[in-house]
Amino acid sequence: RTTNPIRQRDPNDLLDEIEWVHAEYGLDSFKFCDATWNVNPEHVISFCQAKIERAIALPWECNVHAGLASQEMFHWMKQANCHQMNVGCESGSPRILKSIRKGISVESIVRVFDWAREAGLQRRSYFLIGHPGETEDDIRLTEKLVEEIQPEVFGVTILCPYPGGDLYRIFDHYYSGHQGC
């Protein structure tokens, strides 16, 4: 019995569905947007190996959690015609990363971008600005990280917490009396 509540689909079931959508609707690529896609790198490798064995040539991309990746995983992803990995880096500030409890470090982000580059994958990064208590120094650390990892695609979003969440309560404390983001 496992304590991991994440249910992972059998790679062959996924591939059956991908082949069906390709045949039925002319799918020419696909993307795994699931934040838990690589919670188990061995599962990702199994998917890639099955895709290769079945000679499914469709290109694809996926979101990757930097704290859960392996170098071998990127090798197999490239072999299975993955063209891009996307990482929610969020910040280049160790203090901010710790405060949001993302489970990643600046070092793990750099390592994942290095591994993906070595494997020949395009790399996309997502960052958030506007964290509670974020300073100009924190933003400069984020700029420094972007320069270090050199993603081919770079995105920045302004944090907007939702009512009921931890960050919303923190924002309410920092900015009481203001409406919205």
Side-chain angles (χ1 to χ4, degrees), residues 109-144:
I109 294 167
V110 170
R111 183 173 49 246
V112 160
F113 275 78
D114 286 346
W115 288 342
R117 180 185 299 113
E118 290 167 9
L121 297 172
Q122 287 189 355
R123 295 141 325 115
R124 173 182 225 146
S125 63
Y126 301 110
F127 288 89
L128 285 170
I129 59 171
H131 295 279
E134 185 173 56
T135 66
E136 285 186 39
D137 288 340
D138 293 317
I139 293 171
R140 292 200 199 314
L141 288 171
T142 297
E143 291 171 342
K144 180 181 173 196

Side-chain angles (χ1 to χ4, degrees), residues 156-168:
V156 176
T157 302
I158 297 171
L159 180 66
C160 184
Y162 292 98
D166 288 344
L167 283 176
Y168 190 85

